[in-house]
Amino acid sequence: PGGKKLEPLKYARVAVEASVSRRKAECCILGTTSLLYHCLEKGVSVAFVLRDVGVLLIEGSKVQMRFYPDFLEKVIGDRIQDSATLKALQKLDMVVSQEVPIASLSFTGRVIIFPK
């Protein structure tokens, strides 16, 4: 739809970037996408921990991204020193500490965490 061309994933390039064999890269990617598919199909909550960025949480039809403060500071280009700004971001549920247990972010407290 929309005239966009789908391109196959280049497993060899992923393998080089991850310093693993092509076979291992392909197995990891296929295993992860298969597990994600089954979790979403069964309505199991999942969380993707994106190193140095934040957590993408998927619960049912709700998708929420929460960012680590350090990442937001890099994007903003300055430290978040204004406590009012930080409190506003926290009220919007946009900020999460790296020390917070991922399961505590979900409604049920049960979540499958990627990557493991």
Side-chain angles (χ1 to χ4, degrees):
K4 294 187 180 187
K5 186 178 177 184
L6 184 64
E7 291 186 33
L9 183 61
K10 295 174 177 67
Y11 294 108
R13 184 172 176 191
V14 172
V16 168
E17 292 292 324
S19 300
V20 297
S21 70
R22 183 193 185 288
R23 178 163 167 69
K24 181 164 181 110
E26 186 174 353
C27 287
C28 287
I29 292 167
L30 293 175
T32 299
T33 54
S34 177
L35 179 58
L36 176 61
Y37 172 81
H38 290 293
C39 288
L40 296 176
E41 183 179 53
K42 294 180 186 300
V44 175
S45 299
V46 296
F48 280 93
V49 178
L50 306 171
R51 183 181 58 217
D52 299 330
V53 175
V55 178
L56 177 67
L57 183 64
I58 305 170
E59 292 188 284
S61 62
K62 184 178 178 184
V63 178
Q64 186 175 34
M65 183 69 202
R66 296 196 182 170
F67 299 97
Y68 298 137
D70 291 348
F71 173 77
L72 289 175
E73 288 171 353
K74 286 178 190 174
V75 171
I76 294 169
D78 200 3
R79 301 240 357 126
I80 303 175
Q81 295 178 359
D82 179 8
S83 64
T85 302
L86 185 57
K87 284 182 182 178
L89 291 170
Q90 288 171 333
K91 274 192 171 186
L92 293 171
D93 280 337
M94 291 183 62
V95 181
V96 66
S97 168
Q98 290 185 0
E99 283 78 40
V100 170
I102 302 299
S104 70
L105 301 176
S106 74
F107 291 119
T108 63
R110 294 176 49 206
V111 64
I112 293 181
I113 302 170
F114 292 86
K116 266 279 188 190

